[in-house]
Amino acid sequence: MIIKIKDHCEHFAENKDVAKELREKQIKQNIESTTSPMIILDFAEVDSSTQSFIHALISGIFQDYGEKALDYFEFRNCNEAVKSLITTVINYSLE
């Protein structure tokens, strides 16, 4: 499954309600309905994001599935700012 973030939020990913909907209706359903889930989150053309968007998008999955969730995701086309936010959210979600 490939989710192109720009299709849901333009160049600035900030709407946590959109992120929550993606998590609940696409990411979570894919994980629960597939024996080998793979979710590609493509951040092409996304210039920036808020931490709350990334949190709403993936934190619950990492809290529910722990380190196993690392196997479920591939993050593509992330600039350094977005990479940093993803790393931060994953780290505190796994604590």
Side-chain angles (χ1 to χ4, degrees):
M1 157 183 273
I2 299 175
I3 299 173
K4 294 182 178 189
I5 301 302
K6 185 181 178 292
D7 290 348
H8 302 278
C9 60
E10 298 297 320
H11 298 285
F12 182 53
E14 66 175 329
N15 189 329
K16 62 185 179 188
D17 294 328
V18 168
K20 180 182 176 187
E21 184 173 326
L22 287 170
R23 183 189 73 231
E24 292 298 318
K25 293 188 177 174
Q26 293 187 45
I27 295 171
K28 199 170 186 179
Q29 286 184 3
N30 183 271
I31 291 170
E32 292 173 351
S33 66
T34 309
T35 57
S36 298
M38 174 52 66
I39 298 101
I40 298 167
L41 297 176
D42 188 348
F43 284 84
E45 300 181 53
V46 175
D47 298 328
S48 189
S49 176
T50 62
Q51 185 170 324
S52 61
F53 178 88
I54 302 297
H55 176 92
L57 186 65
I58 63 171
S59 181
I61 302 298
F62 282 89
Q63 290 170 356
D64 291 347
Y65 294 92
E67 289 187 17
K68 181 73 175 151
L70 292 169
D71 296 335
Y72 302 157
F73 288 97
E74 180 181 327
F75 300 95
R76 287 189 185 165
N77 300 306
C78 303
N79 63 31
E80 289 303 315
V82 172
K83 280 182 194 175
S84 178
L85 291 172
I86 291 168
T87 300
T88 297
V89 170
I90 290 172
N91 286 338
Y92 71 64
S93 297
L94 291 175
E95 290 181 350

